[in-house]
Amino acid sequence: MCIHTNLAPQAKPRIINKTNPNTQGDYMLGTKKYGRLCNFTLAAALLIGVAAAPAVAQSFPDEPITVVVAWPAGGGHDTVTRLVTEHLSQELSTSVVVTNVPGAAGANGVRQVEEADADGYTLGVLGVHATAQSYMNANATDLINLDPLAVINIEPAALAVRRDTGIDSFEAFLEYAHNQPGGIINGNDSPGGFSFLNAAFIESYFEIELTKVPYQGYAPTVAALVSGEVMSTTLPVPMLADLHDSETIQILGVAATERHFRVPEVPTFAEMGYDYVMTDYVMVFGPRGIEDERRATLETALLAAMEQEAFQERGRAMGLMLSPGGAEAAVELMRSMDDLIYPVMQDADLVSTRER
């Protein structure tokens, strides 16, 4: 099984001209032509008022923007979103507020954005979960109703175990799983979430059976792993790197074509002889139908925010594989992931709501 994602060339964002057209000359009163000048001045004012109306209406943004995260606070998507919005607010000169709307493996939050007014003031973030949910949940959003704006990062999945399990390699993991079907208790998110998909795909590809225990997002999954409620987990690398460093857990393998810079000592599955690559991503989107100039404003600001040195430094310190891209790249990534993940979901018997 091999799931790869490649970003398309970044679309060149359009720059909105914010030049104020409301300029006028001075007028002298108190002359013999006072009456005519008054009439002229009144007419000019009326014309200027008419001309100014569209400019005021087009001022965007002039109120706070809300970004919906479809997972609880403290998880991967939440952490990335808060990092981006901090810098986005500087670019847009307005408040950008993050709100968490968890539930249904991310479907609730995505649907809230889908149903919002397409005015650019309500955005969201999504990943692979949105693609999966569209085939698993009858109430999930059809991706055609969303407007991708920018890609933030692309993260490979990983497989990790607690050190006290005695499993010290991926081969030992497979041996344990084959000898005791269902004996490995794995922590993951709800059906359709990325770590659930990673666990299900590992089961399908390696022909093993795990006991998958669902949690509402990455943060509670990590807590369950630390407390010993579960033996293993299938989260992305950034959520596990610190625990790996402290030797609380051991990351057995990374589902990428190259090793992750945060844990360079951990081999990829490809290095171990298995063609298994599985990546998640975080992108910003809005409801379909946002007016073109507002979309361009948002895209330009998002790209500028992600170009800031402070954003880059903090993202790397957090272990994120940043992959900034504009709307064109986001559309292509969503399309390619849909093409790649659907047959894998079919093989894992996860397509239950609709077929392509």
Side-chain angles (χ1 to χ4, degrees):
M1 174 188 305
C2 190
I3 299 180
H4 297 277
T5 54
N6 295 305
L7 284 177
Q10 180 177 307
K12 183 177 181 181
R14 289 179 293 162
I15 307 298
I16 292 179
N17 184 356
K18 295 184 177 179
T19 303
N20 183 3
N22 302 333
T23 57
Q24 59 183 359
D26 295 328
Y27 297 97
M28 293 183 62
L29 302 181
T31 67
K32 294 181 180 179
K33 297 181 179 179
Y34 174 80
R36 291 172 59 189
L37 283 172
C38 280
N39 291 337
F40 175 79
T41 302
L42 177 60
L46 289 173
L47 288 172
I48 291 169
V50 171
V56 172
Q58 292 173 7
S59 177
F60 173 81
D62 58 3
E63 59 185 76
I65 290 175
T66 297
V67 180
V68 176
V69 177
W71 298 94
H77 284 208
D78 179 76
T79 303
V80 171
T81 302
R82 292 180 188 277
L83 174 62
V84 172
T85 55
E86 177 183 334
H87 295 83
L88 180 61
S89 63
Q90 299 170 15
E91 297 293 334
L92 292 174
S93 299
T94 191
S95 298
V96 182
V97 181
V98 176
T99 181
N100 298 84
V101 184
N108 289 353
V110 174
R111 186 168 58 250
Q112 178 163 315
V113 178
E114 176 198 12
E115 295 174 350
D117 292 337
D119 55 10
Y121 287 103
T122 302
L123 308 176
V125 294
L126 58 73
V128 171
H129 67 90
T131 300
Q133 282 293 320
S134 69
Y135 297 114
M136 298 175 66
N137 182 346
N139 296 317
T141 297
D142 189 329
L143 301 187
I144 197 173
N145 296 324
L146 306 180
D147 211 346
L149 296 171
V151 180
I152 303 172
N153 66 314
I154 299 176
E155 294 295 336
L159 173 65
V161 295
R162 286 179 55 87
R163 292 272 183 176
D164 59 12
T165 61
I167 300 173
D168 59 2
S169 68
F170 182 61
E171 295 303 327
F173 179 89
L174 288 180
E175 182 179 1
Y176 191 116
H178 283 131
N179 292 337
Q180 300 185 48
I184 295 179
I185 303 172
N186 186 78
N188 43 257
D189 41 28
S190 305
F194 178 69
S195 62
F196 172 88
L197 292 172
N198 188 28
F201 294 168
I202 286 175
E203 287 181 304
S204 176
Y205 183 83
F206 296 102
E207 298 181 342
I208 61 175
E209 179 184 346
L210 305 174
T211 296
K212 299 189 293 296
V213 180
Y215 294 90
Q216 271 292 354
Y218 292 170
T221 304
V222 170
L225 184 65
V226 171
S227 69
E229 288 182 20
V230 297
M231 300 167 60
S232 66
T233 191
T234 42
L235 296 172
V237 171
M239 299 300 300
L240 303 171
D242 288 343
L243 292 174
H244 175 83
D245 290 344
S246 68
E247 299 189 349
T248 302
I249 67 169
Q250 180 177 355
I251 301 177
L252 301 178
V254 176
T257 55
E258 298 180 354
R259 295 192 180 198
H260 197 290
F261 76 90
R262 183 61 182 79
V263 285
E265 69 280 5
V266 178
T268 65
F269 288 103
E271 290 178 274
M272 294 184 279
Y274 303 105
D275 188 21
Y276 183 72
V277 176
M278 176 66 178
T279 56
D280 193 12
Y281 60 85
V282 180
M283 74 168 57
V284 182
F285 73 99
R288 188 171 183 83
I290 298 175
E291 188 269 332
D292 287 348
E293 289 193 356
R294 293 192 176 193
R295 288 181 71 255
T297 297
L298 292 167
E299 180 187 9
T300 300
L302 282 162
L303 290 172
M306 291 186 284
E307 288 175 359
Q308 291 185 26
E309 185 176 350
F311 171 84
Q312 296 281 339
E313 290 178 352
R314 288 182 58 191
R316 186 170 178 83
M318 292 163 60
L320 301 176
M321 298 189 72
L322 299 173
S323 306
E328 183 178 330
V331 169
E332 178 56 31
L333 178 58
M334 182 180 286
R335 182 185 299 115
S336 64
M337 183 56 72
D338 187 61
D339 291 339
L340 291 165
I341 202 173
Y342 181 77
V344 182
M345 291 182 65
Q346 281 187 313
D347 290 344
D349 198 26
L350 294 176
V351 177
S352 58
T353 298
R354 67 180 179 89
E355 296 184 353
R356 294 183 67 176

